[in-house]
Every structure is written in C-alpha cells, then in structure tokens.
Amino acid sequence: TKYEEVKRAMLAALRGRELTHTELTRALTEKLAGKFEGNISWYGETVKLDLEARKTIERTATRPQRYRLKT
C-alpha cells in the first residue's frame, strides 16, 4: 500500500517535467506530508530505484542529474 501511494505521488510529480533528486524528494514530501506514516524520503528512494529498474523512470545525462518519465 505504501509503495503504491509513493509511486502515484512520484509519477504525478514527474508528469511533464524533469526534477533533480532534491526537487523530487521535496515534491513527495509536500504531497504526502500528514497523509503518510513512515519516512517519506526513505520510501521515495526505494520506489525511485525500483521504478528505474523497471524502466518506468530514467535519469538524464545532464549535471545535475534529473529524473523523468521514460517515454
């Protein structure tokens, strides 16, 4: 359940834009604060890595790296 909640928030945050790691974590915190039990940053990192492995999101080659939905 927590995975799905963080996944939905992350995909919504990345829809139509690229975010740095810091911006993505901030977006998740703003979206889930007060509605989520647990460490949002930790769950966000875990979900981010899983979505990268599943090729749902990807890192850009730019510096700083940004995350985006994979097309």
Short mmCIF file of all heavy atoms in Angstrom, two decimals:
data_model
loop_
_atom_site.label_atom_id
_atom_site.label_comp_id
_atom_site.label_asym_id
_atom_site.label_seq_id
_atom_site.Cartn_x
_atom_site.Cartn_y
_atom_site.Cartn_z
N THR A 1 0.82 -1.19 0.00
CA THR A 1 0.00 0.00 0.00
C THR A 1 0.87 1.25 0.00
O THR A 1 0.61 2.18 -0.76
CB THR A 1 -0.93 0.01 1.23
OG1 THR A 1 -1.70 -1.20 1.21
CG2 THR A 1 -1.85 1.20 1.22
N LYS A 2 1.90 1.27 0.85
CA LYS A 2 2.79 2.44 0.90
C LYS A 2 3.53 2.61 -0.42
O LYS A 2 3.69 3.72 -0.91
CB LYS A 2 3.79 2.31 2.05
CG LYS A 2 3.15 2.52 3.41
CD LYS A 2 4.19 2.46 4.50
CE LYS A 2 3.52 2.70 5.84
NZ LYS A 2 4.50 2.76 6.92
N TYR A 3 3.97 1.50 -0.99
CA TYR A 3 4.66 1.56 -2.27
C TYR A 3 3.78 2.24 -3.31
O TYR A 3 4.22 3.14 -4.03
CB TYR A 3 5.05 0.15 -2.74
CG TYR A 3 5.64 0.12 -4.13
CD1 TYR A 3 7.01 0.25 -4.32
CD2 TYR A 3 4.83 0.01 -5.26
CE1 TYR A 3 7.56 0.26 -5.59
CE2 TYR A 3 5.37 0.01 -6.53
CZ TYR A 3 6.73 0.13 -6.68
OH TYR A 3 7.27 0.14 -7.95
N GLU A 4 2.54 1.79 -3.42
CA GLU A 4 1.62 2.34 -4.41
C GLU A 4 1.35 3.83 -4.17
O GLU A 4 1.25 4.61 -5.12
CB GLU A 4 0.31 1.55 -4.43
CG GLU A 4 0.46 0.17 -5.03
CD GLU A 4 0.94 0.17 -6.48
OE1 GLU A 4 0.55 1.07 -7.25
OE2 GLU A 4 1.72 -0.74 -6.83
N GLU A 5 1.24 4.21 -2.91
CA GLU A 5 0.99 5.61 -2.57
C GLU A 5 2.15 6.50 -3.01
O GLU A 5 1.96 7.54 -3.62
CB GLU A 5 0.78 5.70 -1.05
CG GLU A 5 0.10 6.93 -0.59
CD GLU A 5 -0.23 6.87 0.90
OE1 GLU A 5 -0.17 5.79 1.51
OE2 GLU A 5 -0.55 7.93 1.44
N VAL A 6 3.37 6.05 -2.71
CA VAL A 6 4.57 6.82 -3.10
C VAL A 6 4.74 6.80 -4.61
O VAL A 6 5.08 7.81 -5.22
CB VAL A 6 5.82 6.27 -2.38
CG1 VAL A 6 7.08 6.96 -2.87
CG2 VAL A 6 5.69 6.45 -0.88
N LYS A 7 4.49 5.65 -5.23
CA LYS A 7 4.60 5.54 -6.69
C LYS A 7 3.66 6.52 -7.38
O LYS A 7 4.07 7.24 -8.30
CB LYS A 7 4.28 4.11 -7.12
CG LYS A 7 4.31 3.91 -8.62
CD LYS A 7 3.92 2.48 -8.97
CE LYS A 7 3.73 2.31 -10.46
NZ LYS A 7 3.25 0.97 -10.78
N ARG A 8 2.41 6.57 -6.96
CA ARG A 8 1.45 7.50 -7.57
C ARG A 8 1.91 8.95 -7.43
O ARG A 8 1.86 9.73 -8.38
CB ARG A 8 0.06 7.34 -6.92
CG ARG A 8 -0.77 6.24 -7.50
CD ARG A 8 -2.21 6.30 -7.04
NE ARG A 8 -2.37 6.28 -5.60
CZ ARG A 8 -2.43 5.20 -4.85
NH1 ARG A 8 -2.35 4.01 -5.42
NH2 ARG A 8 -2.58 5.27 -3.55
N ALA A 9 2.39 9.30 -6.24
CA ALA A 9 2.86 10.67 -6.00
C ALA A 9 4.09 10.98 -6.86
O ALA A 9 4.21 12.08 -7.40
CB ALA A 9 3.18 10.86 -4.52
N MET A 10 4.99 10.01 -7.00
CA MET A 10 6.20 10.23 -7.78
C MET A 10 5.89 10.38 -9.26
O MET A 10 6.40 11.29 -9.92
CB MET A 10 7.17 9.06 -7.57
CG MET A 10 8.52 9.27 -8.22
SD MET A 10 9.71 8.00 -7.77
CE MET A 10 9.95 8.36 -6.03
N LEU A 11 5.05 9.52 -9.78
CA LEU A 11 4.70 9.62 -11.20
C LEU A 11 3.96 10.92 -11.49
O LEU A 11 4.19 11.55 -12.53
CB LEU A 11 3.88 8.40 -11.62
CG LEU A 11 4.62 7.06 -11.56
CD1 LEU A 11 3.68 5.92 -11.95
CD2 LEU A 11 5.87 7.06 -12.42
N ALA A 12 3.12 11.34 -10.58
CA ALA A 12 2.41 12.62 -10.75
C ALA A 12 3.40 13.78 -10.73
O ALA A 12 3.27 14.72 -11.53
CB ALA A 12 1.36 12.79 -9.65
N ALA A 13 4.39 13.72 -9.86
CA ALA A 13 5.39 14.79 -9.76
C ALA A 13 6.23 14.89 -11.03
O ALA A 13 6.63 15.98 -11.43
CB ALA A 13 6.28 14.57 -8.54
N LEU A 14 6.48 13.76 -11.67
CA LEU A 14 7.33 13.74 -12.86
C LEU A 14 6.55 13.93 -14.16
O LEU A 14 7.16 14.09 -15.21
CB LEU A 14 8.11 12.42 -12.91
CG LEU A 14 9.19 12.25 -11.84
CD1 LEU A 14 9.75 10.85 -11.88
CD2 LEU A 14 10.28 13.29 -12.00
N ARG A 15 5.25 13.91 -14.09
CA ARG A 15 4.45 14.05 -15.30
C ARG A 15 4.71 15.40 -15.97
O ARG A 15 4.46 16.44 -15.39
CB ARG A 15 2.97 13.90 -14.96
CG ARG A 15 2.12 13.60 -16.19
CD ARG A 15 0.78 13.01 -15.85
NE ARG A 15 0.93 11.63 -15.38
CZ ARG A 15 0.52 11.20 -14.19
NH1 ARG A 15 -0.08 12.01 -13.36
NH2 ARG A 15 0.70 9.94 -13.84
N GLY A 16 5.28 15.34 -17.16
CA GLY A 16 5.51 16.56 -17.93
C GLY A 16 6.71 17.38 -17.52
O GLY A 16 6.89 18.49 -18.03
N ARG A 17 7.55 16.87 -16.62
CA ARG A 17 8.73 17.66 -16.23
C ARG A 17 9.84 16.76 -15.71
O ARG A 17 9.63 15.59 -15.42
CB ARG A 17 8.37 18.71 -15.19
CG ARG A 17 7.80 18.15 -13.91
CD ARG A 17 7.34 19.27 -13.01
NE ARG A 17 6.78 18.70 -11.79
CZ ARG A 17 6.63 19.37 -10.68
NH1 ARG A 17 7.00 20.63 -10.61
NH2 ARG A 17 6.10 18.80 -9.63
N GLU A 18 11.01 17.34 -15.61
CA GLU A 18 12.19 16.66 -15.07
C GLU A 18 12.53 17.31 -13.74
O GLU A 18 12.48 18.53 -13.61
CB GLU A 18 13.37 16.79 -16.02
CG GLU A 18 13.15 16.15 -17.36
CD GLU A 18 14.33 16.32 -18.32
OE1 GLU A 18 15.30 17.02 -17.97
OE2 GLU A 18 14.25 15.77 -19.42
N LEU A 19 12.89 16.49 -12.75
CA LEU A 19 13.21 17.01 -11.43
C LEU A 19 14.54 16.44 -10.95
O LEU A 19 14.85 15.27 -11.21
CB LEU A 19 12.12 16.61 -10.42
CG LEU A 19 10.72 17.14 -10.66
CD1 LEU A 19 9.75 16.54 -9.66
CD2 LEU A 19 10.69 18.65 -10.59
N THR A 20 15.31 17.26 -10.23
CA THR A 20 16.51 16.76 -9.58
C THR A 20 16.08 15.87 -8.41
O THR A 20 14.91 15.85 -8.02
CB THR A 20 17.37 17.91 -9.02
OG1 THR A 20 16.64 18.58 -8.00
CG2 THR A 20 17.80 18.87 -10.12
N HIS A 21 17.03 15.17 -7.84
CA HIS A 21 16.73 14.31 -6.70
C HIS A 21 16.12 15.13 -5.55
O HIS A 21 15.12 14.74 -4.95
CB HIS A 21 18.01 13.60 -6.23
CG HIS A 21 17.77 12.59 -5.17
ND1 HIS A 21 17.73 12.91 -3.84
CD2 HIS A 21 17.52 11.26 -5.26
CE1 HIS A 21 17.50 11.81 -3.15
NE2 HIS A 21 17.36 10.80 -3.98
N THR A 22 16.70 16.28 -5.28
CA THR A 22 16.21 17.15 -4.21
C THR A 22 14.80 17.63 -4.51
O THR A 22 13.93 17.62 -3.63
CB THR A 22 17.15 18.36 -4.02
OG1 THR A 22 18.46 17.86 -3.71
CG2 THR A 22 16.68 19.27 -2.91
N GLU A 23 14.55 18.05 -5.74
CA GLU A 23 13.22 18.53 -6.12
C GLU A 23 12.18 17.41 -6.04
O GLU A 23 11.05 17.63 -5.61
CB GLU A 23 13.24 19.10 -7.55
CG GLU A 23 14.04 20.37 -7.67
CD GLU A 23 14.32 20.76 -9.10
OE1 GLU A 23 14.30 19.89 -10.01
OE2 GLU A 23 14.57 21.97 -9.33
N LEU A 24 12.57 16.21 -6.44
CA LEU A 24 11.66 15.07 -6.38
C LEU A 24 11.31 14.72 -4.94
O LEU A 24 10.15 14.51 -4.60
CB LEU A 24 12.28 13.87 -7.10
CG LEU A 24 11.44 12.60 -7.18
CD1 LEU A 24 10.09 12.88 -7.83
CD2 LEU A 24 12.19 11.52 -7.93
N THR A 25 12.31 14.71 -4.08
CA THR A 25 12.08 14.42 -2.65
C THR A 25 11.18 15.49 -2.05
O THR A 25 10.25 15.17 -1.29
CB THR A 25 13.41 14.34 -1.89
OG1 THR A 25 14.21 13.30 -2.48
CG2 THR A 25 13.20 14.04 -0.43
N ARG A 26 11.42 16.74 -2.39
CA ARG A 26 10.59 17.84 -1.88
C ARG A 26 9.14 17.69 -2.36
O ARG A 26 8.20 17.87 -1.59
CB ARG A 26 11.16 19.18 -2.33
CG ARG A 26 10.44 20.37 -1.70
CD ARG A 26 11.04 21.71 -2.11
NE ARG A 26 12.47 21.77 -1.79
CZ ARG A 26 13.43 22.06 -2.68
NH1 ARG A 26 13.12 22.36 -3.93
NH2 ARG A 26 14.69 22.08 -2.33
N ALA A 27 8.96 17.35 -3.62
CA ALA A 27 7.60 17.17 -4.17
C ALA A 27 6.87 16.03 -3.46
O ALA A 27 5.68 16.16 -3.15
CB ALA A 27 7.68 16.91 -5.67
N LEU A 28 7.57 14.94 -3.20
CA LEU A 28 6.95 13.82 -2.48
C LEU A 28 6.57 14.23 -1.06
O LEU A 28 5.48 13.90 -0.58
CB LEU A 28 7.90 12.62 -2.42
CG LEU A 28 8.15 11.89 -3.73
CD1 LEU A 28 9.19 10.79 -3.52
CD2 LEU A 28 6.87 11.32 -4.29
N THR A 29 7.46 14.94 -0.40
CA THR A 29 7.20 15.38 0.98
C THR A 29 5.98 16.31 1.02
O THR A 29 5.12 16.15 1.88
CB THR A 29 8.44 16.08 1.55
OG1 THR A 29 9.54 15.16 1.53
CG2 THR A 29 8.20 16.53 2.98
N GLU A 30 5.91 17.23 0.08
CA GLU A 30 4.76 18.15 0.05
C GLU A 30 3.46 17.40 -0.22
O GLU A 30 2.43 17.69 0.38
CB GLU A 30 4.97 19.21 -1.03
CG GLU A 30 6.05 20.22 -0.67
CD GLU A 30 6.41 21.15 -1.81
OE1 GLU A 30 5.79 21.07 -2.90
OE2 GLU A 30 7.33 21.95 -1.62
N LYS A 31 3.51 16.42 -1.11
CA LYS A 31 2.30 15.68 -1.49
C LYS A 31 1.84 14.72 -0.38
O LYS A 31 0.65 14.56 -0.17
CB LYS A 31 2.60 14.89 -2.77
CG LYS A 31 1.49 14.03 -3.26
CD LYS A 31 0.50 14.80 -4.05
CE LYS A 31 -0.50 13.86 -4.70
NZ LYS A 31 -1.65 14.55 -5.20
N LEU A 32 2.79 14.11 0.33
CA LEU A 32 2.44 13.04 1.27
C LEU A 32 2.47 13.45 2.74
O LEU A 32 1.99 12.69 3.58
CB LEU A 32 3.39 11.85 1.05
CG LEU A 32 3.32 11.20 -0.34
CD1 LEU A 32 4.43 10.17 -0.48
CD2 LEU A 32 1.97 10.59 -0.58
N ALA A 33 3.01 14.60 3.06
CA ALA A 33 3.13 15.02 4.47
C ALA A 33 1.75 15.03 5.13
O ALA A 33 0.78 15.55 4.58
CB ALA A 33 3.76 16.40 4.56
N GLY A 34 1.68 14.42 6.30
CA GLY A 34 0.44 14.36 7.06
C GLY A 34 -0.50 13.26 6.62
O GLY A 34 -1.48 12.98 7.29
N LYS A 35 -0.21 12.63 5.47
CA LYS A 35 -1.07 11.56 4.96
C LYS A 35 -0.33 10.23 4.89
O LYS A 35 -0.89 9.25 4.41
CB LYS A 35 -1.55 11.90 3.54
CG LYS A 35 -2.25 13.21 3.40
CD LYS A 35 -2.59 13.43 1.94
CE LYS A 35 -2.49 14.89 1.61
NZ LYS A 35 -2.52 15.16 0.19
N PHE A 36 0.91 10.23 5.32
CA PHE A 36 1.76 9.06 5.14
C PHE A 36 2.48 8.74 6.43
O PHE A 36 3.08 9.62 7.05
CB PHE A 36 2.79 9.37 4.04
CG PHE A 36 3.60 8.19 3.60
CD1 PHE A 36 3.10 7.30 2.67
CD2 PHE A 36 4.85 7.97 4.13
CE1 PHE A 36 3.85 6.21 2.26
CE2 PHE A 36 5.61 6.89 3.74
CZ PHE A 36 5.10 6.00 2.79
N GLU A 37 2.42 7.50 6.84
CA GLU A 37 3.11 7.08 8.06
C GLU A 37 4.43 6.42 7.65
O GLU A 37 4.44 5.41 6.95
CB GLU A 37 2.25 6.09 8.84
CG GLU A 37 2.78 5.81 10.21
CD GLU A 37 1.81 4.98 11.02
OE1 GLU A 37 0.61 5.25 10.96
OE2 GLU A 37 2.29 4.05 11.68
N GLY A 38 5.52 7.00 8.05
CA GLY A 38 6.83 6.48 7.71
C GLY A 38 7.71 7.59 7.16
O GLY A 38 7.28 8.73 7.00
N ASN A 39 8.94 7.24 6.88
CA ASN A 39 9.91 8.19 6.37
C ASN A 39 9.73 8.36 4.87
O ASN A 39 10.06 7.47 4.08
CB ASN A 39 11.32 7.69 6.70
CG ASN A 39 12.38 8.68 6.36
OD1 ASN A 39 12.34 9.30 5.30
ND2 ASN A 39 13.35 8.83 7.23
N ILE A 40 9.20 9.49 4.46
CA ILE A 40 8.89 9.74 3.05
C ILE A 40 10.15 9.67 2.20
O ILE A 40 10.13 9.09 1.10
CB ILE A 40 8.17 11.09 2.88
CG1 ILE A 40 6.80 11.03 3.58
CG2 ILE A 40 8.01 11.45 1.40
CD1 ILE A 40 6.10 12.37 3.70
N SER A 41 11.25 10.21 2.67
CA SER A 41 12.50 10.19 1.91
C SER A 41 12.98 8.77 1.65
O SER A 41 13.39 8.42 0.54
CB SER A 41 13.59 10.97 2.63
OG SER A 41 13.25 12.31 2.75
N TRP A 42 12.91 7.94 2.69
CA TRP A 42 13.37 6.55 2.56
C TRP A 42 12.48 5.79 1.58
O TRP A 42 12.98 5.11 0.68
CB TRP A 42 13.37 5.87 3.93
CG TRP A 42 13.97 4.51 3.88
CD1 TRP A 42 15.29 4.19 4.00
CD2 TRP A 42 13.28 3.27 3.67
NE1 TRP A 42 15.45 2.82 3.88
CE2 TRP A 42 14.22 2.24 3.68
CE3 TRP A 42 11.94 2.94 3.47
CZ2 TRP A 42 13.89 0.91 3.50
CZ3 TRP A 42 11.61 1.61 3.29
CH2 TRP A 42 12.58 0.61 3.31
N TYR A 43 11.19 5.89 1.74
CA TYR A 43 10.27 5.21 0.83
C TYR A 43 10.41 5.76 -0.58
O TYR A 43 10.36 5.02 -1.55
CB TYR A 43 8.82 5.33 1.30
CG TYR A 43 8.46 4.34 2.38
CD1 TYR A 43 8.50 4.70 3.72
CD2 TYR A 43 8.09 3.04 2.06
CE1 TYR A 43 8.18 3.79 4.71
CE2 TYR A 43 7.76 2.12 3.04
CZ TYR A 43 7.81 2.50 4.36
OH TYR A 43 7.50 1.59 5.34
N GLY A 44 10.60 7.07 -0.70
CA GLY A 44 10.78 7.68 -2.01
C GLY A 44 12.00 7.15 -2.72
O GLY A 44 11.96 6.85 -3.92
N GLU A 45 13.10 7.00 -2.00
CA GLU A 45 14.33 6.47 -2.59
C GLU A 45 14.13 5.04 -3.06
O GLU A 45 14.55 4.65 -4.15
CB GLU A 45 15.48 6.55 -1.58
CG GLU A 45 16.81 6.14 -2.13
CD GLU A 45 17.35 7.07 -3.20
OE1 GLU A 45 16.95 8.24 -3.26
OE2 GLU A 45 18.17 6.61 -4.01
N THR A 46 13.48 4.24 -2.24
CA THR A 46 13.23 2.83 -2.59
C THR A 46 12.35 2.72 -3.83
O THR A 46 12.66 1.96 -4.75
CB THR A 46 12.56 2.12 -1.39
OG1 THR A 46 13.42 2.24 -0.26
CG2 THR A 46 12.32 0.67 -1.68
N VAL A 47 11.28 3.49 -3.87
CA VAL A 47 10.38 3.45 -5.03
C VAL A 47 11.08 3.98 -6.27
O VAL A 47 10.95 3.42 -7.36
CB VAL A 47 9.08 4.23 -4.73
CG1 VAL A 47 8.23 4.39 -5.98
CG2 VAL A 47 8.29 3.54 -3.62
N LYS A 48 11.87 5.05 -6.12
CA LYS A 48 12.60 5.62 -7.25
C LYS A 48 13.53 4.58 -7.87
O LYS A 48 13.54 4.39 -9.09
CB LYS A 48 13.41 6.84 -6.81
CG LYS A 48 14.21 7.47 -7.93
CD LYS A 48 15.10 8.58 -7.44
CE LYS A 48 16.18 8.14 -6.50
NZ LYS A 48 17.24 7.32 -7.10
N LEU A 49 14.28 3.87 -7.04
CA LEU A 49 15.20 2.86 -7.55
C LEU A 49 14.44 1.72 -8.24
O LEU A 49 14.87 1.22 -9.28
CB LEU A 49 16.06 2.31 -6.41
CG LEU A 49 17.08 3.31 -5.85
CD1 LEU A 49 17.74 2.74 -4.59
CD2 LEU A 49 18.12 3.68 -6.88
N ASP A 50 13.31 1.33 -7.69
CA ASP A 50 12.50 0.27 -8.29
C ASP A 50 11.95 0.72 -9.65
O ASP A 50 12.00 -0.03 -10.62
CB ASP A 50 11.36 -0.13 -7.36
CG ASP A 50 10.54 -1.26 -7.95
OD1 ASP A 50 11.10 -2.36 -8.16
OD2 ASP A 50 9.34 -1.05 -8.21
N LEU A 51 11.45 1.94 -9.72
CA LEU A 51 10.90 2.45 -10.97
C LEU A 51 12.00 2.61 -12.03
O LEU A 51 11.74 2.42 -13.22
CB LEU A 51 10.16 3.76 -10.75
CG LEU A 51 8.86 3.65 -9.94
CD1 LEU A 51 8.25 5.03 -9.72
CD2 LEU A 51 7.87 2.71 -10.59
N GLU A 52 13.21 2.93 -11.60
CA GLU A 52 14.33 2.98 -12.55
C GLU A 52 14.64 1.57 -13.07
O GLU A 52 14.84 1.38 -14.27
CB GLU A 52 15.59 3.54 -11.88
CG GLU A 52 15.60 5.03 -11.73
CD GLU A 52 16.91 5.51 -11.15
OE1 GLU A 52 17.03 5.56 -9.92
OE2 GLU A 52 17.81 5.83 -11.96
N ALA A 53 14.67 0.60 -12.19
CA ALA A 53 14.95 -0.78 -12.59
C ALA A 53 13.88 -1.32 -13.53
O ALA A 53 14.18 -2.08 -14.45
CB ALA A 53 15.05 -1.67 -11.35
N ARG A 54 12.64 -0.90 -13.33
CA ARG A 54 11.53 -1.33 -14.19
C ARG A 54 11.43 -0.48 -15.47
O ARG A 54 10.54 -0.69 -16.28
CB ARG A 54 10.22 -1.25 -13.43
CG ARG A 54 10.12 -2.22 -12.28
CD ARG A 54 8.85 -1.96 -11.47
NE ARG A 54 8.82 -2.75 -10.28
CZ ARG A 54 8.26 -3.95 -10.18
NH1 ARG A 54 7.68 -4.49 -11.23
NH2 ARG A 54 8.27 -4.61 -9.04
N LYS A 55 12.33 0.48 -15.60
CA LYS A 55 12.40 1.38 -16.76
C LYS A 55 11.13 2.22 -16.93
O LYS A 55 10.72 2.54 -18.04
CB LYS A 55 12.73 0.59 -18.02
CG LYS A 55 14.02 -0.21 -17.87
CD LYS A 55 14.73 -0.39 -19.15
CE LYS A 55 15.97 -1.24 -19.02
NZ LYS A 55 17.01 -0.77 -18.18
N THR A 56 10.54 2.59 -15.80
CA THR A 56 9.38 3.49 -15.81
C THR A 56 9.85 4.93 -15.77
O THR A 56 9.25 5.81 -16.38
CB THR A 56 8.47 3.19 -14.60
OG1 THR A 56 8.08 1.82 -14.65
CG2 THR A 56 7.23 4.07 -14.60
N ILE A 57 10.94 5.17 -15.03
CA ILE A 57 11.57 6.49 -14.99
C ILE A 57 13.04 6.32 -15.33
O ILE A 57 13.57 5.20 -15.31
CB ILE A 57 11.41 7.19 -13.61
CG1 ILE A 57 12.16 6.45 -12.51
CG2 ILE A 57 9.94 7.37 -13.27
CD1 ILE A 57 12.17 7.18 -11.17
N GLU A 58 13.68 7.43 -15.67
CA GLU A 58 15.10 7.37 -16.01
C GLU A 58 15.80 8.63 -15.54
O GLU A 58 15.17 9.65 -15.30
CB GLU A 58 15.28 7.21 -17.52
CG GLU A 58 14.78 8.38 -18.33
CD GLU A 58 14.86 8.16 -19.83
OE1 GLU A 58 15.37 7.11 -20.28
OE2 GLU A 58 14.41 9.05 -20.56
N ARG A 59 17.12 8.52 -15.41
CA ARG A 59 17.96 9.66 -15.07
C ARG A 59 18.47 10.28 -16.36
O ARG A 59 18.78 9.58 -17.31
CB ARG A 59 19.18 9.23 -14.26
CG ARG A 59 18.87 8.64 -12.94
CD ARG A 59 20.15 8.25 -12.24
NE ARG A 59 19.86 7.28 -11.19
CZ ARG A 59 20.67 7.01 -10.20
NH1 ARG A 59 21.83 7.62 -10.12
NH2 ARG A 59 20.33 6.14 -9.29
N THR A 60 18.59 11.59 -16.36
CA THR A 60 19.17 12.26 -17.53
C THR A 60 20.69 12.21 -17.41
O THR A 60 21.24 11.95 -16.34
CB THR A 60 18.72 13.72 -17.61
OG1 THR A 60 19.21 14.43 -16.46
CG2 THR A 60 17.21 13.83 -17.69
N ALA A 61 21.36 12.49 -18.50
CA ALA A 61 22.83 12.51 -18.52
C ALA A 61 23.38 13.88 -18.12
O ALA A 61 24.59 14.06 -18.05
CB ALA A 61 23.34 12.12 -19.90
N THR A 62 22.50 14.84 -17.86
CA THR A 62 22.93 16.19 -17.52
C THR A 62 23.44 16.26 -16.08
O THR A 62 23.22 15.36 -15.28
CB THR A 62 21.75 17.18 -17.67
OG1 THR A 62 20.72 16.79 -16.78
CG2 THR A 62 21.22 17.18 -19.10
N ARG A 63 24.08 17.35 -15.76
CA ARG A 63 24.50 17.63 -14.38
C ARG A 63 23.80 18.88 -13.92
O ARG A 63 23.88 19.90 -14.61
CB ARG A 63 26.02 17.82 -14.29
CG ARG A 63 26.78 16.56 -14.58
CD ARG A 63 26.67 15.60 -13.43
NE ARG A 63 27.38 14.36 -13.77
CZ ARG A 63 26.99 13.17 -13.36
NH1 ARG A 63 25.93 13.04 -12.64
NH2 ARG A 63 27.67 12.11 -13.68
N PRO A 64 23.10 18.92 -12.84
CA PRO A 64 22.82 17.75 -12.02
C PRO A 64 21.87 16.80 -12.74
O PRO A 64 21.09 17.22 -13.61
CB PRO A 64 22.15 18.34 -10.77
CG PRO A 64 21.48 19.56 -11.26
CD PRO A 64 22.38 20.11 -12.35
N GLN A 65 21.95 15.54 -12.36
CA GLN A 65 21.05 14.56 -12.96
C GLN A 65 19.62 14.91 -12.59
O GLN A 65 19.34 15.41 -11.51
CB GLN A 65 21.36 13.16 -12.44
CG GLN A 65 22.60 12.57 -13.03
CD GLN A 65 22.82 11.15 -12.58
OE1 GLN A 65 22.41 10.75 -11.49
NE2 GLN A 65 23.47 10.36 -13.42
N ARG A 66 18.74 14.64 -13.52
CA ARG A 66 17.31 14.85 -13.29
C ARG A 66 16.60 13.53 -13.58
O ARG A 66 17.12 12.67 -14.30
CB ARG A 66 16.78 15.94 -14.21
CG ARG A 66 17.37 17.29 -13.89
CD ARG A 66 16.82 18.37 -14.82
NE ARG A 66 17.38 19.66 -14.48
CZ ARG A 66 16.92 20.46 -13.52
NH1 ARG A 66 15.89 20.09 -12.81
NH2 ARG A 66 17.50 21.61 -13.27
N TYR A 67 15.42 13.40 -13.03
CA TYR A 67 14.61 12.22 -13.24
C TYR A 67 13.42 12.61 -14.11
O TYR A 67 12.91 13.73 -13.99
CB TYR A 67 14.14 11.63 -11.91
CG TYR A 67 15.29 11.14 -11.09
CD1 TYR A 67 15.93 11.97 -10.19
CD2 TYR A 67 15.77 9.86 -11.26
CE1 TYR A 67 17.02 11.54 -9.46
CE2 TYR A 67 16.86 9.41 -10.54
CZ TYR A 67 17.48 10.26 -9.63
OH TYR A 67 18.57 9.82 -8.92
N ARG A 68 12.99 11.70 -14.96
CA ARG A 68 11.83 11.95 -15.82
C ARG A 68 11.16 10.62 -16.13
O ARG A 68 11.75 9.54 -15.96
CB ARG A 68 12.26 12.63 -17.11
CG ARG A 68 13.17 11.79 -17.97
CD ARG A 68 13.62 12.51 -19.21
NE ARG A 68 14.64 11.73 -19.91
CZ ARG A 68 15.52 12.24 -20.73
NH1 ARG A 68 15.54 13.54 -20.96
NH2 ARG A 68 16.40 11.48 -21.35
N LEU A 69 9.93 10.71 -16.59
CA LEU A 69 9.23 9.52 -17.03
C LEU A 69 9.88 9.03 -18.30
O LEU A 69 10.26 9.83 -19.16
CB LEU A 69 7.75 9.83 -17.29
CG LEU A 69 6.93 10.25 -16.08
CD1 LEU A 69 5.51 10.60 -16.51
CD2 LEU A 69 6.90 9.15 -15.04
N LYS A 70 10.04 7.75 -18.41
CA LYS A 70 10.64 7.19 -19.61
C LYS A 70 9.59 7.10 -20.69
O LYS A 70 8.49 6.64 -20.46
CB LYS A 70 11.21 5.81 -19.31
CG LYS A 70 12.02 5.27 -20.43
CD LYS A 70 12.96 4.23 -19.97
CE LYS A 70 13.56 3.56 -21.19
NZ LYS A 70 14.95 3.57 -21.23
N THR A 71 9.95 7.55 -21.87
CA THR A 71 9.00 7.55 -22.98
C THR A 71 9.14 6.32 -23.84
O THR A 71 10.06 5.60 -23.77
CB THR A 71 9.18 8.81 -23.86
OG1 THR A 71 10.54 8.85 -24.28
CG2 THR A 71 8.82 10.04 -23.11
#
